């Protein structure tokens, strides 16, 4: 007896959920399927075109951006619901934010490709980041935390453009840090994920052992069997 279409879909869905859960447990992705193996926000953003369990771009819509930021604990639920209202009132402005971020990610990935092959970062990109940074008016604010207090940078902007701030800021921080020399792309050429190589011996080759590393190990094993 064959499976009905409904059963097949259910089976596919449950395989997908099981795969996502395993990758969450391994610390490779978060609950929303966004990769968290970059080692910092800037690189997780660079990797956000891929989202486990989804075929299209991980940041295909403004809602996706809200989910990305919430799942990285950079946006509170109530702020997100305000921005949902904003999306309803002014979809064009929200669309502009998401398009700006997709373009920024594209250019940042080119910079990462240059850096990981030993080239310096394109100075035009620095100018672009500076233009973004100049557009944010911010102030510092002391807030209670779970233990003691925390000093936060607050953005005066209330509109959807404020969502770019944590990303732009971490890209700037990254470019000014020693993570630049430690950035690598996964050794699997079909993968395209970037990470900061903080392994003690500096020999990390794969985005994660649970995905590309394991696949490479299995392939090497099969090759040995063939020989
Ligand atoms: Zn990989």
């Amino acid at each position: 007896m064959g499976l009905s279409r409904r059963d097949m879909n259910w089976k596919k869905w449950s395989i997908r959920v099981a795969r996502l859960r395993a990758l969450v447990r391994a610390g490779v992705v978060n609950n929303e399927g966004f990769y968290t193996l970059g080692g910092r926000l800037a690189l997780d953003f660079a990797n956000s075109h891929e989202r486990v369990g989804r075929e299209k771009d991980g940041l295909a819509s403004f809602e996706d951006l809200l989910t990305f930021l919430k799942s990285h604990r950079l946006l509170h639920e109530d702020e997100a619901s305000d921005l949902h209202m904003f999306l309803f009132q002014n979809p064009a402005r929200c669309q502009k934010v998401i398009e700006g971020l997709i373009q920024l990610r594209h250019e940042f990935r080119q910079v990462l490709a240059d850096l990981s092959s030993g080239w310096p970062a394109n100075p035009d990109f620095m100018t672009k980041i500076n233009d973004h940074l100049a557009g944010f008016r911010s102030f510092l604010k002391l807030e209670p935390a779970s233990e003691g207090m925390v000093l936060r940078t607050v953005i005066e902007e209330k509109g959807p453009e404020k969502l770019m701030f944590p990303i732009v800021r971490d890209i700037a921080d990254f470019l000014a840090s020693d993570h630049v020399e430690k950035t690598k792309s996964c050794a699997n050429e079909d993968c395209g994920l970037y990470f900061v190589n903080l392994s003690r011996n500096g020999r990390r080759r794969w985005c994660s052992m649970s995905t590309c590393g394991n696949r490479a190990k299995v392939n090497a094993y099969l090759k040995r069997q063939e020989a």
Side-chain angles (χ1 to χ4, degrees):
M1 202 179 72
L3 288 171
S4 73
R5 174 175 288 221
R6 199 166 146 239
D7 287 344
M8 283 286 279
N9 282 343
W10 188 83
K11 210 175 161 200
K12 263 194 214 157
W13 178 80
S14 56
I15 290 171
R16 215 181 278 171
V17 170
R19 179 162 176 256
L20 177 64
R21 284 211 188 116
L23 291 177
V24 170
R25 267 199 307 275
V28 174
V29 299
N30 62 28
N31 280 319
E32 293 293 343
F34 286 108
Y35 283 99
T36 52
L37 50 80
R40 61 184 301 157
L41 174 64
L43 295 196
D44 289 339
F45 167 69
N47 295 335
S48 66
H49 59 303
E50 294 281 357
R51 187 172 169 189
V52 171
R54 287 251 303 228
E55 269 152 37
K56 51 183 177 175
D57 192 306
L59 298 184
S61 69
F62 188 72
E63 273 116 335
D64 289 341
L65 175 62
L66 297 181
T67 306
F68 174 81
L69 293 170
K70 269 195 298 183
S71 67
H72 278 88
R73 294 166 198 268
L74 293 162
L75 187 67
H76 290 292
E77 195 61 57
D78 44 342
E79 272 180 295
S81 70
D82 285 352
L83 284 157
H84 245 282
M85 284 300 290
F86 201 102
L87 175 64
F88 191 65
Q89 291 158 347
N90 200 336
R93 195 164 144 194
C94 295
Q95 185 58 28
K96 236 178 114 185
V97 169
I98 194 80
E99 279 168 13
L101 274 172
I102 298 281
Q103 180 60 28
L104 183 73
R105 190 182 63 193
H106 175 69
E107 290 169 27
F108 184 41
R109 287 184 62 83
Q110 283 176 338
V111 166
L112 291 175
D114 289 343
L115 292 175
S116 62
S117 36
W119 292 93
N122 182 345
D124 291 348
F125 188 70
M126 192 179 76
T127 308
K128 177 161 186 162
I129 289 292
N130 279 338
D131 286 347
H132 274 296
L133 288 172
F136 294 114
R137 289 175 44 144
S138 66
F139 56 92
L140 292 169
K141 192 180 178 194
L142 204 51
E143 286 183 350
S146 52
E147 260 177 66
M149 285 176 258
V150 63
L151 188 61
R152 268 215 319 144
T153 305
V154 183
I155 298 301
E156 284 187 30
E157 174 62 64
K158 293 272 181 275
E161 293 80 11
K162 75 172 179 183
L163 297 175
M164 296 180 92
F165 179 74
I167 295 169
V168 170
R169 182 188 168 142
D170 200 56
I171 292 175
D173 252 341
F174 164 78
L175 290 173
S177 77
D178 65 349
H179 283 181
V180 163
E181 302 99 79
K182 292 176 180 152
T183 296
K184 281 179 98 167
S185 64
C186 179
N188 172 9
E189 281 175 18
D190 298 328
C191 172
L193 297 183
Y194 287 98
F195 57 89
V196 183
N197 184 9
L198 296 171
S199 62
R200 226 174 300 158
N201 55 16
R203 275 159 63 186
R204 176 175 167 193
R205 294 182 61 204
W206 315 103
C207 61
S208 86
M209 278 320 288
S210 313
T211 55
C212 296
N214 239 328
R215 216 167 296 143
K217 257 204 309 204
V218 170
N219 286 345
Y221 173 79
L222 291 176
K223 236 183 210 155
R224 279 202 302 278
Q225 295 294 302
E226 270 170 28

